[in-house]
Amino acid sequence: MSKIEPFAETIFVTRPVFPNIEEVTEKLRDIWESKWLTNNGPQHHMLERELESFLKVPYLSLFNNGTIALMVAIQSLRLQGEVITTPFTFAATPHVLSWNNIQPIFCDIDEETMNIDANKIESMITPHTTAILAVHVFGTPCNVEKIQQVADAYGLKVVYDAAHAFGVEIDGNGIGNFGDISMFSFHATKVYHTLEGGALVHKNKNLKQRIDLLKNFGIKNEDEVVMPGINGKLDEVRAAIGRIMLNYVEEEQYKRRQLHKIYDEELGNVDGIKLMPKCPENVKSNYQYYVIRIDEKVFGKSRDYVYDELRKYNVYPRKYFHPLCNEYTCYRQLNSSSVENLPVANVIGQQVLSLPMYGELAADDVRKICAIIRLVASK
Ligand code: T4K
């Protein structure tokens, strides 16, 4: 194969979607004129209603980031004791449990979807279990039916970390409608963002009231503070940007979908590479990430070797999610962190590689990245 030159400019795992600067300036003018910068202003109010409709959910509360949102979700349901979760996720997921004085119990993951293995949850339940905190990893929906069945049988709450799942639907139903509460992240690296930001979605008005109090110090009015809340508020500038960004999501998803197809075509026949899991027909995907798995025994090179080689070509993929959460120093002593308890997660954690994925990425650049990966295999 002919020599491949490194990219002149670094290709990162992702790039934020940037709205048109004039549109932003115009919105900033409105905000300046309103003299209202934060604390439940008009932009905030309008974005909440617009997102409820976009995500097809009954109630939504905006937050200053997804992590604080998830912390408040746990507080709002008054969870305690132990919560069953996945080790294959971003650090924020188990950390919100720790910050709520709850012990994370790691359950192994499903070989195909890389989500919590719903069939193994039951075996992790103890008298201290109060909830299941599952993650729709890379936007692939969890086995929501089975999870709800287990939760109902044992009287557990279900919280979904839907940080990756903005706009995902099952049978036309917004992904946020499953479980008791779902959290979305609107971080700059997400397919839809507000620079930093996040939201909780939930099904009843009382819960919305409680969540909205919790994100505003528990302040009910000038004379009453009714619970120990925190500051989780999203300001007007980011809410306004969020309103603009809603007009960009579909085009961004369309572009990413084309790039997904190219990766599928270019890497589909490479021995030892497992492609991004395909969503079933009834699922509307959001094409947020493109993640492959490299089986060293078949591919001939390890994931870490491929990662290092790609960097030599100025491509910076990421090993989401390695290390596994059970490997962090703060969790490795837990019984559920043992290798025997998490055989699938341990293999997948060594294999995954998130390849560059963002709308502005050129199709030819994706082909070149794939050519480099094939070249690495043949070296
Ligand atoms: N639950 C799950 C399952 C999550 O994945 C996350 C966050 C959360 C909860 C918490 O939600 P938030 O509290 O963040 O709302 C990134 C994101 O910061 C993080 O939001 C995301 N998950 C995670 C999967 O990815 P890092 O540490 O990998 O980000 P960073 O700064 O290395 O950015 C990745 C690449 O993006 C860079 O190499 C270059 C590019 N980039 C990044 C930024 C911020 C840019 O080009 N421009 C930018 O402004 O965590």
Side-chain angles (χ1 to χ4, degrees), residues 12-16 65-67 89-90 92-93 135 161 163-164 183 185-190 197 289 318 320-321:
F12 290 102
V13 69
T14 197
R15 282 300 205 191
N65 63 61
T67 307
T89 182
F90 191 61
T93 317
V135 183
D161 176 336
H164 302 171
M183 176 279 279
S185 164
F186 304 152
H187 183 262
T189 53
K190 299 292 187 289
Y289 294 94
R318 294 295 286 266
Y320 297 133
F321 287 105

Side-chain angles (χ1 to χ4, degrees), residues 199-361:
L200 292 182
V201 308
H202 28 82
K203 293 183 202 118
N204 76 65
K205 214 174 176 173
N206 290 345
L207 193 53
K208 174 154 174 69
Q209 275 166 2
R210 186 167 162 73
I211 286 170
D212 287 348
L213 281 169
L214 280 169
K215 78 172 192 192
N216 186 32
F217 316 99
I219 297 176
K220 189 172 177 193
N221 55 46
E222 287 184 28
D223 298 312
E224 288 173 285
V225 178
V226 292
M227 57 186 83
I230 198 167
N231 183 353
K233 293 169 280 124
L234 187 75
D235 62 75
E236 286 291 277
V237 173
R238 287 186 291 162
I241 289 178
R243 296 188 61 216
I244 296 171
M245 295 309 292
L246 274 176
N247 302 322
Y248 287 76
V249 191
E250 268 158 25
E251 194 190 337
E252 177 65 17
Q253 285 179 339
Y254 175 78
K255 288 180 184 167
R256 290 185 190 213
R257 185 176 170 192
Q258 307 312 311
L259 301 178
H260 267 242
K261 280 189 201 155
I262 299 175
Y263 274 125
D264 284 349
E265 284 160 18
E266 297 280 324
L267 297 175
N269 292 324
V270 180
D271 289 340
I273 289 190
K274 197 170 163 71
L275 302 178
M276 174 85 188
K278 296 284 156 295
C279 283
E281 291 270 293
N282 63 335
V283 170
K284 183 178 166 211
S285 170
N286 71 2
Y287 305 99
Q288 164 93 50
Y289 294 94
Y290 194 90
V291 183
I292 57 169
R293 282 158 59 183
I294 298 173
D295 181 345
E296 183 178 357
K297 285 197 204 99
V298 185
F299 187 73
K301 305 283 186 315
S302 68
R303 181 276 313 276
D304 289 348
Y305 184 87
V306 177
Y307 171 89
D308 290 339
E309 286 296 304
L310 280 167
R311 286 174 73 107
K312 290 183 191 158
Y313 288 89
N314 217 357
V315 180
Y316 283 46
R318 294 295 286 266
K319 303 176 195 174
Y320 297 133
F321 287 105
H322 163 87
L324 299 170
C325 300
N326 59 294
E327 294 170 326
Y328 301 173
T329 45
C330 47
Y331 303 125
R332 65 168 67 135
Q333 81 293 349
L334 298 175
N335 287 339
S336 65
S337 291
S338 69
V339 177
E340 305 78 63
N341 186 45
L342 305 167
V344 181
N346 274 295
V347 172
I348 290 180
Q350 297 299 319
Q351 296 184 333
V352 271
L353 195 61
S354 282
L355 297 177
M357 177 50 58
Y358 49 96
E360 287 301 291
L361 183 62

